Amino acid sequence: MSQVSARVLLRAAGVAVLIDAPDGLLPALLHWGGPLPGLTEADAAAIAESSRPVQSPNDVDTPARVSLLPEATTGWTGRPGLQGSRNGVAWSTDFRVTEITFNGTPLRGFLSAGPGVLRFTAEDAEAQLTLDLEVALSDGGVLTARAGVRNDGTDDYTVDSLTLAFPVPAEASELLDLAGRWARERMPQRRPFTVGTHLRENRKGRTGSDSAYVMHAGTPGFGFADGEVYGVHTAFSGNHLHFAERVFTGIRLLGGGELLLPGELRLAPGETYTGPLVYGVHGTGLDAVARRFHGVLRARKRRLSTRRPVTYNVWEAVYMDHSLPKLLRLAELAAGVGVERFVLDDGWFGARRHEHAGLGDWVVSDDAWPDGLSPLIDRVNELGMEFGLWFEPEMVNPDSDVAREHPDWILSARTSWPVESRFQQVLNLSIPEAYAHVRDQMMALLDAYPIAYIKWDHNRDLVDAGDQTRGGRPAVHEQTLAYYRLLDELREAHPELEIESCSSGGARVDLEVLQRTDRVWVSDCIDPLERQVMNRWTAQLIPLEYMGSHIASRHSHTTGRRHDIGFRAATAVFGHLGIEWDLTEATEEELAQLTDWVAFYKEHRDLLLGGDLVRMDGPDPHQFVHGVVAPDQSRAVIGLAVTASLDALPGPRVRFRGLDAERRYSVRPVRLGAPQGGLKEPVWFGAGVELTGAALERVGFTPPIINPEQAMLFLVDAVD
Ligand code: GLA
């Protein structure tokens, strides 16, 4: 077995990664962060030399080596990258790299290159395993890593855990990750990066409304603009984990991988397990980190246009009470205010007149829709709108034809079914017949009707998710892959089809599902006060054009709060705009305002959905300032929201960054969104004002006095 060496500097978009893999050892990151201009081979060697750890007292004689996949054999007593065994033996690995390629070409020695893909093949003859480790830097400076392990032995090898970890420097002493719950997804939480592991395990079988989302470490107090920040995201929609680990020697790692259940991943001889992509992003401030993440989806093969169709979803207007005359009226009203896509939600199929029955029977209900969906769809199309339809493909109510006929298709670890959640169970898509059942029923509908869009829901966690046909073995891994396959298959058959990833609101938002879907439903809570926070943090990973953002009813269905249309709309326009409101209850005046807002959105959506997101760290936590800047810095839209009483009135001056410091811009309030209560305008409002980019950032402007729970927008246009 020949052992190879390489040292590689990858550079892209202001990020440098120096990877060291000497003498057959697994690759370790000597540097991941800001650029290292002019670095030569000798300079890289000097970094390697000067980075060699000193042996600490009472530690192993040769200091432990922490590669992307740390191994206990090196003396590392932190979390090992690969955990597994052959029935209790071969549980400690000592991989030796036998082959290295860069963009497919064999590599030895030193390489300094731009973006590209490094691949390391490593073997452990004693444990009889082969490791395939891929490390890449994208054009946008996003680091990714993915590992696969093959069983070369003659008996089974069980993978318990395969995680990858990126080192961060000691300056990154504060952690920030996300948490949340249904209707309050992606709430930030901070803590010091202390010794031990901050472990965010997800065992929900879906990404989760409380997912860690991005595990950040940064310099103390890092904010949207400032601080050196590192962020790691595990891109997987099943069980997964994120961790931040600091050990006694001071080493700090951010890592992630799939979370495997006991015995879930048993590799027969010759079989391979490949884990999810782990993304790593570095930048100054959270906005820079977010922008790099946004680049991942913006570079996706199937690019989204910024002309995202304004959507109307009927859920909060009718729930499961489907009556054609009412839906036709809603379609007409929606078209009247400028909607471009009309979505029929839950309740159109099987016995689904309520939450207790029908899920899993994807056949149009004769009761609710005696003439099929055509009377609605034809009218929707006639009104110039696309039609979208809700599905929850993985789910069944026990009271459904499919569950009655195939009780063994339900995921269950034990002889009794798992505890119900929303009166439903989960269909085991790894059973080929169950998969085919769902696929064929969905395909039949896609073939029968002009469906442009699917709202793909997933309304419960996977609990005790075992495969009954295999003695109850854990089946979340297979379920997740089957879900991805199903998405791929449907899209291959219907290339124009758009799919929304919804999961009790925003419980399936990650970079892997968004390789296959075109937007997420951020949350079932459309209360703009809550959405100011949720949208702000959802945008930490995904760009605004992927975030379903609706103008809600006057009174919020999930919080009971009441808000006027200005606050609802000025909040919603920073996303893929929709409306979720029983428009038959809206007044003429409200419909007119809605029409104006939709028109404003259409006029500016190229900017709103194609620009760079800016979030300000204001001095008053209840004054939210954010916005979008055109990539050429010629224009911007700024949003100002007041979420609770400010300490002082009129509140801190509005400062905004991201524009060209030397150019002069006109700043004008958008009158249309003028808050309806308590507005007191500053003098400059009348004629607008011209400010340089530097003045906007460093001096700012006096805001109007607006009541709490109000918002308004400003348009910024270069005048020179
Ligand atoms: C979930 C979704 C909602 C709606 C309902 C339908 O809660 O998040 O938007 O589609 O299911 O049952």
Side-chain angles (χ1 to χ4, degrees), residues 182 313 315 320 345-346 352 390 422 455 457 459 502-505 521 524 580:
W182 173 79
N313 187 52
W315 178 241
M320 292 184 205
D345 210 286
D346 195 356
R352 189 74 168 173
W390 183 94
R422 214 191 186 206
K455 176 175 177 181
D457 215 329
N459 278 318
C502 174
S503 182
S504 320
W521 183 221
D524 275 348
E580 189 133 351

Side-chain angles (χ1 to χ4, degrees), residues 79-128:
R79 178 190 185 95
L82 174 61
Q83 300 179 54
S85 77
R86 298 179 188 283
N87 204 14
V89 298
W91 58 273
S92 179
T93 61
D94 187 10
F95 283 108
R96 296 294 146 158
V97 177
T98 55
E99 200 187 335
I100 307 174
T101 61
F102 179 66
N103 292 340
T105 307
L107 174 72
R108 301 280 180 280
F110 180 71
L111 171 78
S112 173
V117 183
L118 282 164
R119 181 162 239 128
F120 299 84
T121 309
E123 292 169 20
D124 181 341
E126 194 174 322
Q128 297 183 298

Side-chain angles (χ1 to χ4, degrees), residues 609-687:
L609 303 183
D612 292 332
L613 176 69
V614 174
R615 296 161 295 181
M616 300 302 291
D617 304 287
D620 189 315
H622 300 121
Q623 187 201 57
F624 278 49
V625 177
H626 52 246
V628 177
V629 179
D632 66 359
Q633 296 176 304
S634 62
R635 293 182 298 150
V637 182
I638 303 176
L640 162 72
V642 174
T643 57
S645 286
L646 301 178
D647 279 345
L649 290 177
R653 296 166 79 95
V654 172
R655 292 164 64 174
F656 191 73
R657 64 172 189 283
L659 291 158
D660 185 331
E662 286 171 28
R663 285 178 89 175
R664 181 165 291 103
Y665 296 88
S666 90
V667 183
R668 286 169 296 135
V670 177
R671 293 297 186 165
L672 141 98
Q676 289 168 355
L679 174 71
K680 277 187 86 178
E681 301 186 358
V683 282
W684 70 269
F685 257 41

